[in-house]
Amino acid sequence: MSKHFKVIIIGSGPAGFTAAIYTSRANLETAVFEGQQPGGQLTITTDVENFPGYPEGVLGPEMMDQFRVQATRFGAKTIYETINKVDFSERPLRMWSEKEEYSADAVIISTGATARLLGTESETKYWGAGISACATCDGFFFRGEKNVLVIGGGDSAMEEAIYLTNFAENVTLINRSEKFRSSKIMLERAQKHPKIDIIANHTIEEFLGTEEKGIKKLTGVRLKNSSTGETREVEAGGAFLAIGHIPNTKIFKGIIDLDKENYIITKGKSTNTNIEGVFACGDVMDHTYRQAVTAAGTGCSAAIDAERWLSENS
Ligand code: NDP
């Protein structure tokens, strides 16, 4: 027998918890599946300065704890399991975690996105031996390091570079083109920072390192000039990838309509997916704005869409 809820929310970032606040407050029995990263991407960030209502800023993990408390206050259940299979071909909608089978009348997908990697052999080789995709998680390990690298030119790269100056003596930020995708204010903060060097127009040709008695250690990178093809080496004890994200939609492939980058397609201004009673919100369906506040906004929309759909269809 599966455990049944009126609404199941898959994913526990700002989108998922906002949806849960609305559905549980609308008296719909709601379960939120926390997944592999309870609280979502904000739990691996530091200060959130742009979420309205926090004039002094707030720590990402702290904010997500507050989202969770607010959702459970109205009766939403949080389940620390990951949904890894769904069957939306009949009613009720069915889902499976590693432990149990669940069913729901409506489902809200808010599974977010995961850090993108370069996917090279040398990256795999030194992964966890100096290479990481989360400065907040691993920056501390690089205390006193002469130089660490940040790869990318978006806001995440700027944020990570600035954060890493708390630990390393110097941070070198590498962007593959002359054009930076980050906001002007973040770029300027990084450019003006005395501990940050910026190398534009270069890609990582290879991560370099040592291996002694089976222990691997990153020592630097070989960079390639994107225009001339010339290579040069930069020494570094750490490298942080900040090159964007991939939507977490693997389990929905062939079931929910996805765009060419595998983000969920929602209909018009709604959060409706191609399947009746299944809605999507947050970074899993938005590759344009990707902010905590916009994710929370679409979470609210998904809850309202689900509530209306349920009142018309059950
Ligand atoms: P973005 O997609 O904005 O930037 C990704 C960066 O990685 C780009 O510079 C891109 O280069 C580069 N890149 C992508 N693939 C590769 C590759 N294979 N090799 C080398 N470089 C690569 O992602 P972010 O994670 O930075 O930001 C996502 C969203 O979150 C944005 O909307 C951002 O504004 C927001 N954000 C806001 C923050 C804040 O306000 N505090 C903090 C962090 C993020 P190219 O431009 O050439 O494609």
Side-chain angles (χ1 to χ4, degrees), residues 175-210:
N175 188 33
R176 65 176 169 186
S177 73
E178 296 284 1
K179 227 176 140 201
F180 289 86
R181 205 186 282 230
S182 71
S183 56
K184 210 167 159 242
I185 183 170
M186 299 281 279
L187 176 60
E188 276 174 9
R189 265 189 219 172
Q191 281 170 330
K192 282 184 189 153
H193 201 292
K195 288 170 95 177
I196 300 178
D197 298 326
I198 298 184
I199 301 178
N201 209 32
H202 280 75
T203 55
I204 307 290
E205 191 174 69
E206 196 179 357
F207 289 101
L208 309 168
T210 54

mmCIF file of all heavy atoms in Angstrom, residues 175-210:
data_model
loop_
_atom_site.group_PDB
_atom_site.id
_atom_site.type_symbol
_atom_site.label_atom_id
_atom_site.label_comp_id
_atom_site.label_asym_id
_atom_site.label_seq_id
_atom_site.Cartn_x
_atom_site.Cartn_y
_atom_site.Cartn_z
ATOM 1 N N ASN A 175 37.740 33.081 -16.628
ATOM 2 C CA ASN A 175 36.515 33.104 -17.443
ATOM 3 C C ASN A 175 36.877 32.745 -18.876
ATOM 4 O O ASN A 175 37.901 33.183 -19.389
ATOM 5 C CB ASN A 175 35.885 34.502 -17.396
ATOM 6 C CG ASN A 175 34.526 34.529 -18.066
ATOM 7 O OD1 ASN A 175 33.788 33.543 -18.032
ATOM 8 N ND2 ASN A 175 34.191 35.649 -18.677
ATOM 9 N N ARG A 176 36.027 31.960 -19.534
ATOM 10 C CA ARG A 176 36.408 31.456 -20.858
ATOM 11 C C ARG A 176 36.350 32.500 -21.967
ATOM 12 O O ARG A 176 36.892 32.273 -23.042
ATOM 13 C CB ARG A 176 35.563 30.248 -21.231
ATOM 14 C CG ARG A 176 34.083 30.507 -21.406
ATOM 15 C CD ARG A 176 33.401 29.241 -21.868
ATOM 16 N NE ARG A 176 31.958 29.347 -21.809
ATOM 17 C CZ ARG A 176 31.142 28.344 -22.040
ATOM 18 N NH1 ARG A 176 31.612 27.161 -22.335
ATOM 19 N NH2 ARG A 176 29.841 28.503 -21.984
ATOM 20 N N SER A 177 35.662 33.634 -21.718
ATOM 21 C CA SER A 177 35.639 34.688 -22.744
ATOM 22 C C SER A 177 35.939 36.033 -22.098
ATOM 23 O O SER A 177 36.180 36.109 -20.887
ATOM 24 C CB SER A 177 34.268 34.723 -23.413
ATOM 25 O OG SER A 177 33.330 35.280 -22.519
ATOM 26 N N GLU A 178 35.905 37.086 -22.917
ATOM 27 C CA GLU A 178 36.146 38.440 -22.391
ATOM 28 C C GLU A 178 34.883 38.981 -21.731
ATOM 29 O O GLU A 178 34.905 39.971 -21.014
ATOM 30 C CB GLU A 178 36.523 39.409 -23.539
ATOM 31 C CG GLU A 178 37.826 39.089 -24.260
ATOM 32 C CD GLU A 178 39.069 39.484 -23.465
ATOM 33 O OE1 GLU A 178 38.933 39.995 -22.339
ATOM 34 O OE2 GLU A 178 40.177 39.236 -23.978
ATOM 35 N N LYS A 179 33.759 38.305 -22.057
ATOM 36 C CA LYS A 179 32.453 38.788 -21.588
ATOM 37 C C LYS A 179 32.058 38.070 -20.301
ATOM 38 O O LYS A 179 32.107 36.847 -20.240
ATOM 39 C CB LYS A 179 31.420 38.476 -22.674
ATOM 40 C CG LYS A 179 30.532 39.646 -22.977
ATOM 41 C CD LYS A 179 29.597 39.354 -24.101
ATOM 42 C CE LYS A 179 28.271 39.977 -23.721
ATOM 43 N NZ LYS A 179 27.157 39.426 -24.400
ATOM 44 N N PHE A 180 31.686 38.868 -19.299
ATOM 45 C CA PHE A 180 31.286 38.265 -18.023
ATOM 46 C C PHE A 180 29.772 38.256 -17.910
ATOM 47 O O PHE A 180 29.118 39.257 -18.191
ATOM 48 C CB PHE A 180 31.901 39.053 -16.864
ATOM 49 C CG PHE A 180 33.373 38.855 -16.758
ATOM 50 C CD1 PHE A 180 34.247 39.636 -17.501
ATOM 51 C CD2 PHE A 180 33.879 37.856 -15.948
ATOM 52 C CE1 PHE A 180 35.609 39.433 -17.429
ATOM 53 C CE2 PHE A 180 35.247 37.647 -15.871
ATOM 54 C CZ PHE A 180 36.115 38.436 -16.616
ATOM 55 N N ARG A 181 29.260 37.128 -17.487
ATOM 56 C CA ARG A 181 27.806 36.995 -17.385
ATOM 57 C C ARG A 181 27.263 37.577 -16.071
ATOM 58 O O ARG A 181 26.066 37.786 -15.925
ATOM 59 C CB ARG A 181 27.438 35.510 -17.466
ATOM 60 C CG ARG A 181 26.036 35.288 -17.955
ATOM 61 C CD ARG A 181 25.713 33.829 -17.856
ATOM 62 N NE ARG A 181 26.326 33.093 -18.957
ATOM 63 C CZ ARG A 181 25.644 32.247 -19.705
ATOM 64 N NH1 ARG A 181 24.363 32.071 -19.506
ATOM 65 N NH2 ARG A 181 26.249 31.569 -20.658
ATOM 66 N N SER A 182 28.142 37.834 -15.138
ATOM 67 C CA SER A 182 27.688 38.266 -13.806
ATOM 68 C C SER A 182 27.115 39.682 -13.846
ATOM 69 O O SER A 182 27.323 40.431 -14.794
ATOM 70 C CB SER A 182 28.857 38.250 -12.831
ATOM 71 O OG SER A 182 29.731 39.293 -13.147
ATOM 72 N N SER A 183 26.427 40.044 -12.763
ATOM 73 C CA SER A 183 25.922 41.408 -12.644
ATOM 74 C C SER A 183 27.126 42.337 -12.470
ATOM 75 O O SER A 183 28.183 41.924 -11.982
ATOM 76 C CB SER A 183 24.984 41.513 -11.451
ATOM 77 O OG SER A 183 25.649 41.090 -10.276
ATOM 78 N N LYS A 184 26.930 43.604 -12.875
ATOM 79 C CA LYS A 184 28.021 44.565 -12.852
ATOM 80 C C LYS A 184 28.571 44.750 -11.438
ATOM 81 O O LYS A 184 29.781 44.776 -11.218
ATOM 82 C CB LYS A 184 27.495 45.903 -13.398
ATOM 83 C CG LYS A 184 28.526 46.717 -14.084
ATOM 84 C CD LYS A 184 27.899 47.843 -14.873
ATOM 85 C CE LYS A 184 28.937 48.911 -15.102
ATOM 86 N NZ LYS A 184 28.614 50.190 -14.510
ATOM 87 N N ILE A 185 27.673 44.824 -10.489
ATOM 88 C CA ILE A 185 28.084 45.100 -9.101
ATOM 89 C C ILE A 185 28.973 43.978 -8.543
ATOM 90 O O ILE A 185 29.979 44.245 -7.888
ATOM 91 C CB ILE A 185 26.860 45.381 -8.194
ATOM 92 C CG1 ILE A 185 27.291 45.725 -6.775
ATOM 93 C CG2 ILE A 185 25.857 44.252 -8.170
ATOM 94 C CD1 ILE A 185 26.183 46.244 -5.881
ATOM 95 N N MET A 186 28.635 42.740 -8.881
ATOM 96 C CA MET A 186 29.430 41.608 -8.372
ATOM 97 C C MET A 186 30.789 41.566 -9.073
ATOM 98 O O MET A 186 31.814 41.290 -8.449
ATOM 99 C CB MET A 186 28.690 40.286 -8.595
ATOM 100 C CG MET A 186 27.360 40.182 -7.900
ATOM 101 S SD MET A 186 27.509 39.801 -6.148
ATOM 102 C CE MET A 186 27.736 38.053 -6.203
ATOM 103 N N LEU A 187 30.772 41.830 -10.389
ATOM 104 C CA LEU A 187 32.032 41.839 -11.151
ATOM 105 C C LEU A 187 32.963 42.915 -10.593
ATOM 106 O O LEU A 187 34.156 42.667 -10.364
ATOM 107 C CB LEU A 187 31.755 42.071 -12.642
ATOM 108 C CG LEU A 187 32.976 42.198 -13.548
ATOM 109 C CD1 LEU A 187 33.828 40.934 -13.511
ATOM 110 C CD2 LEU A 187 32.563 42.495 -15.002
ATOM 111 N N GLU A 188 32.403 44.089 -10.336
ATOM 112 C CA GLU A 188 33.226 45.190 -9.820
ATOM 113 C C GLU A 188 33.812 44.865 -8.447
ATOM 114 O O GLU A 188 34.966 45.176 -8.168
ATOM 115 C CB GLU A 188 32.385 46.477 -9.746
ATOM 116 C CG GLU A 188 32.356 47.170 -11.098
ATOM 117 C CD GLU A 188 31.420 48.372 -11.129
ATOM 118 O OE1 GLU A 188 30.914 48.796 -10.057
ATOM 119 O OE2 GLU A 188 31.181 48.867 -12.237
ATOM 120 N N ARG A 189 33.011 44.197 -7.622
ATOM 121 C CA ARG A 189 33.507 43.806 -6.297
ATOM 122 C C ARG A 189 34.713 42.880 -6.425
ATOM 123 O O ARG A 189 35.691 43.008 -5.708
ATOM 124 C CB ARG A 189 32.413 43.079 -5.520
ATOM 125 C CG ARG A 189 31.644 43.984 -4.614
ATOM 126 C CD ARG A 189 30.735 43.163 -3.725
ATOM 127 N NE ARG A 189 29.474 43.846 -3.558
ATOM 128 C CZ ARG A 189 28.415 43.328 -2.966
ATOM 129 N NH1 ARG A 189 28.441 42.102 -2.492
ATOM 130 N NH2 ARG A 189 27.315 44.019 -2.834
ATOM 131 N N ALA A 190 34.608 41.943 -7.370
ATOM 132 C CA ALA A 190 35.716 41.001 -7.574
ATOM 133 C C ALA A 190 36.928 41.725 -8.179
ATOM 134 O O ALA A 190 38.064 41.525 -7.747
ATOM 135 C CB ALA A 190 35.267 39.852 -8.465
ATOM 136 N N GLN A 191 36.659 42.592 -9.178
ATOM 137 C CA GLN A 191 37.756 43.307 -9.838
ATOM 138 C C GLN A 191 38.530 44.188 -8.864
ATOM 139 O O GLN A 191 39.743 44.321 -8.947
ATOM 140 C CB GLN A 191 37.191 44.172 -10.967
ATOM 141 C CG GLN A 191 36.889 43.383 -12.227
ATOM 142 C CD GLN A 191 36.117 44.197 -13.254
ATOM 143 O OE1 GLN A 191 35.344 45.089 -12.886
ATOM 144 N NE2 GLN A 191 36.301 43.888 -14.528
ATOM 145 N N LYS A 192 37.796 44.800 -7.933
ATOM 146 C CA LYS A 192 38.437 45.738 -6.991
ATOM 147 C C LYS A 192 39.107 45.024 -5.825
ATOM 148 O O LYS A 192 39.853 45.641 -5.072
ATOM 149 C CB LYS A 192 37.367 46.693 -6.429
ATOM 150 C CG LYS A 192 36.987 47.787 -7.408
ATOM 151 C CD LYS A 192 36.012 48.744 -6.747
ATOM 152 C CE LYS A 192 35.448 49.719 -7.770
ATOM 153 N NZ LYS A 192 34.125 50.201 -7.374
ATOM 154 N N HIS A 193 38.802 43.749 -5.661
ATOM 155 C CA HIS A 193 39.311 43.041 -4.484
ATOM 156 C C HIS A 193 40.828 42.835 -4.581
ATOM 157 O O HIS A 193 41.312 42.306 -5.575
ATOM 158 C CB HIS A 193 38.612 41.680 -4.338
ATOM 159 C CG HIS A 193 38.694 41.143 -2.956
ATOM 160 N ND1 HIS A 193 39.875 40.720 -2.385
ATOM 161 C CD2 HIS A 193 37.753 40.995 -2.003
ATOM 162 C CE1 HIS A 193 39.655 40.315 -1.156
ATOM 163 N NE2 HIS A 193 38.363 40.477 -0.891
ATOM 164 N N PRO A 194 41.573 43.249 -3.551
ATOM 165 C CA PRO A 194 43.039 43.145 -3.650
ATOM 166 C C PRO A 194 43.570 41.710 -3.721
ATOM 167 O O PRO A 194 44.699 41.491 -4.164
ATOM 168 C CB PRO A 194 43.522 43.824 -2.356
ATOM 169 C CG PRO A 194 42.343 43.828 -1.436
ATOM 170 C CD PRO A 194 41.130 43.867 -2.303
ATOM 171 N N LYS A 195 42.747 40.735 -3.304
ATOM 172 C CA LYS A 195 43.236 39.345 -3.313
ATOM 173 C C LYS A 195 42.732 38.551 -4.518
ATOM 174 O O LYS A 195 42.926 37.344 -4.584
ATOM 175 C CB LYS A 195 42.804 38.645 -2.009
ATOM 176 C CG LYS A 195 43.587 39.152 -0.789
ATOM 177 C CD LYS A 195 42.986 38.637 0.491
ATOM 178 C CE LYS A 195 43.670 37.390 0.973
ATOM 179 N NZ LYS A 195 43.102 36.941 2.268
ATOM 180 N N ILE A 196 42.055 39.227 -5.453
ATOM 181 C CA ILE A 196 41.526 38.490 -6.610
ATOM 182 C C ILE A 196 42.178 38.952 -7.915
ATOM 183 O O ILE A 196 42.217 40.141 -8.213
ATOM 184 C CB ILE A 196 39.982 38.653 -6.721
ATOM 185 C CG1 ILE A 196 39.298 38.109 -5.465
ATOM 186 C CG2 ILE A 196 39.435 37.962 -7.973
ATOM 187 C CD1 ILE A 196 37.782 38.267 -5.435
ATOM 188 N N ASP A 197 42.706 37.977 -8.670
ATOM 189 C CA ASP A 197 43.193 38.248 -10.038
ATOM 190 C C ASP A 197 42.171 37.670 -10.992
ATOM 191 O O ASP A 197 41.633 36.595 -10.730
ATOM 192 C CB ASP A 197 44.493 37.492 -10.341
ATOM 193 C CG ASP A 197 45.610 37.899 -9.426
ATOM 194 O OD1 ASP A 197 45.641 39.072 -9.046
ATOM 195 O OD2 ASP A 197 46.429 37.019 -9.089
ATOM 196 N N ILE A 198 41.961 38.350 -12.106
ATOM 197 C CA ILE A 198 41.006 37.817 -13.082
ATOM 198 C C ILE A 198 41.723 37.541 -14.394
ATOM 199 O O ILE A 198 42.424 38.404 -14.926
ATOM 200 C CB ILE A 198 39.830 38.799 -13.292
ATOM 201 C CG1 ILE A 198 39.071 38.974 -11.959
ATOM 202 C CG2 ILE A 198 38.891 38.310 -14.389
ATOM 203 C CD1 ILE A 198 37.833 39.821 -12.005
ATOM 204 N N ILE A 199 41.580 36.316 -14.877
ATOM 205 C CA ILE A 199 42.128 35.974 -16.191
ATOM 206 C C ILE A 199 40.931 35.684 -17.096
ATOM 207 O O ILE A 199 40.210 34.707 -16.890
ATOM 208 C CB ILE A 199 43.055 34.734 -16.128
ATOM 209 C CG1 ILE A 199 44.217 34.986 -15.154
ATOM 210 C CG2 ILE A 199 43.567 34.377 -17.517
ATOM 211 C CD1 ILE A 199 45.180 33.808 -14.985
ATOM 212 N N ALA A 200 40.739 36.550 -18.083
ATOM 213 C CA ALA A 200 39.614 36.357 -19.012
ATOM 214 C C ALA A 200 40.113 35.639 -20.260
ATOM 215 O O ALA A 200 41.331 35.517 -20.487
ATOM 216 C CB ALA A 200 39.018 37.706 -19.373
ATOM 217 N N ASN A 201 39.167 35.138 -21.035
ATOM 218 C CA ASN A 201 39.483 34.553 -22.347
ATOM 219 C C ASN A 201 40.387 33.314 -22.291
ATOM 220 O O ASN A 201 41.180 33.081 -23.200
ATOM 221 C CB ASN A 201 40.115 35.652 -23.227
ATOM 222 C CG ASN A 201 39.834 35.430 -24.684
ATOM 223 O OD1 ASN A 201 38.772 34.893 -25.036
ATOM 224 N ND2 ASN A 201 40.760 35.805 -25.537
ATOM 225 N N HIS A 202 40.258 32.544 -21.219
ATOM 226 C CA HIS A 202 41.052 31.311 -21.103
ATOM 227 C C HIS A 202 40.168 30.155 -20.646
ATOM 228 O O HIS A 202 39.272 30.346 -19.822
ATOM 229 C CB HIS A 202 42.190 31.475 -20.083
ATOM 230 C CG HIS A 202 43.373 32.197 -20.639
ATOM 231 N ND1 HIS A 202 43.368 33.551 -20.849
ATOM 232 C CD2 HIS A 202 44.593 31.733 -21.031
ATOM 233 C CE1 HIS A 202 44.552 33.904 -21.354
ATOM 234 N NE2 HIS A 202 45.314 32.816 -21.472
ATOM 235 N N THR A 203 40.472 28.977 -21.176
ATOM 236 C CA THR A 203 39.768 27.774 -20.720
ATOM 237 C C THR A 203 40.768 26.861 -20.005
ATOM 238 O O THR A 203 41.982 27.031 -20.127
ATOM 239 C CB THR A 203 39.158 26.991 -21.902
ATOM 240 O OG1 THR A 203 40.208 26.715 -22.828
ATOM 241 C CG2 THR A 203 38.048 27.761 -22.586
ATOM 242 N N ILE A 204 40.211 25.906 -19.278
ATOM 243 C CA ILE A 204 41.075 24.947 -18.572
ATOM 244 C C ILE A 204 41.415 23.831 -19.549
ATOM 245 O O ILE A 204 40.523 23.095 -19.994
ATOM 246 C CB ILE A 204 40.330 24.317 -17.363
ATOM 247 C CG1 ILE A 204 39.735 25.391 -16.446
ATOM 248 C CG2 ILE A 204 41.238 23.333 -16.610
ATOM 249 C CD1 ILE A 204 40.720 26.200 -15.668
ATOM 250 N N GLU A 205 42.681 23.725 -19.909
ATOM 251 C CA GLU A 205 43.053 22.612 -20.783
ATOM 252 C C GLU A 205 43.232 21.344 -19.956
ATOM 253 O O GLU A 205 42.792 20.277 -20.349
ATOM 254 C CB GLU A 205 44.331 22.927 -21.562
ATOM 255 C CG GLU A 205 44.556 21.902 -22.648
ATOM 256 C CD GLU A 205 45.724 22.247 -23.537
ATOM 257 O OE1 GLU A 205 46.875 22.184 -23.045
ATOM 258 O OE2 GLU A 205 45.495 22.588 -24.702
ATOM 259 N N GLU A 206 43.864 21.492 -18.804
ATOM 260 C CA GLU A 206 44.070 20.318 -17.954
ATOM 261 C C GLU A 206 44.324 20.727 -16.503
ATOM 262 O O GLU A 206 44.998 21.721 -16.244
ATOM 263 C CB GLU A 206 45.282 19.519 -18.464
ATOM 264 C CG GLU A 206 45.320 18.128 -17.901
ATOM 265 C CD GLU A 206 46.513 17.311 -18.421
ATOM 266 O OE1 GLU A 206 47.284 17.801 -19.268
ATOM 267 O OE2 GLU A 206 46.672 16.191 -17.923
ATOM 268 N N PHE A 207 43.745 19.963 -15.582
ATOM 269 C CA PHE A 207 44.092 20.136 -14.170
ATOM 270 C C PHE A 207 45.376 19.343 -13.941
ATOM 271 O O PHE A 207 45.513 18.211 -14.418
ATOM 272 C CB PHE A 207 42.984 19.597 -13.267
ATOM 273 C CG PHE A 207 41.746 20.452 -13.295
ATOM 274 C CD1 PHE A 207 40.646 20.079 -14.059
ATOM 275 C CD2 PHE A 207 41.688 21.637 -12.573
ATOM 276 C CE1 PHE A 207 39.510 20.877 -14.091
ATOM 277 C CE2 PHE A 207 40.551 22.440 -12.608
ATOM 278 C CZ PHE A 207 39.458 22.050 -13.367
ATOM 279 N N LEU A 208 46.314 19.944 -13.198
ATOM 280 C CA LEU A 208 47.608 19.302 -12.972
ATOM 281 C C LEU A 208 47.738 18.938 -11.499
ATOM 282 O O LEU A 208 47.166 19.617 -10.640
ATOM 283 C CB LEU A 208 48.739 20.258 -13.363
ATOM 284 C CG LEU A 208 48.630 20.880 -14.766
ATOM 285 C CD1 LEU A 208 49.633 22.015 -14.920
ATOM 286 C CD2 LEU A 208 48.850 19.811 -15.834
ATOM 287 N N GLY A 209 48.495 17.889 -11.227
ATOM 288 C CA GLY A 209 48.647 17.511 -9.825
ATOM 289 C C GLY A 209 49.687 16.445 -9.627
ATOM 290 O O GLY A 209 50.399 16.058 -10.556
ATOM 291 N N THR A 210 49.756 15.988 -8.391
ATOM 292 C CA THR A 210 50.707 14.935 -8.053
ATOM 293 C C THR A 210 49.943 13.734 -7.510
ATOM 294 O O THR A 210 48.798 13.851 -7.077
ATOM 295 C CB THR A 210 51.681 15.416 -6.953
ATOM 296 O OG1 THR A 210 50.901 15.882 -5.848
ATOM 297 C CG2 THR A 210 52.584 16.520 -7.437
#
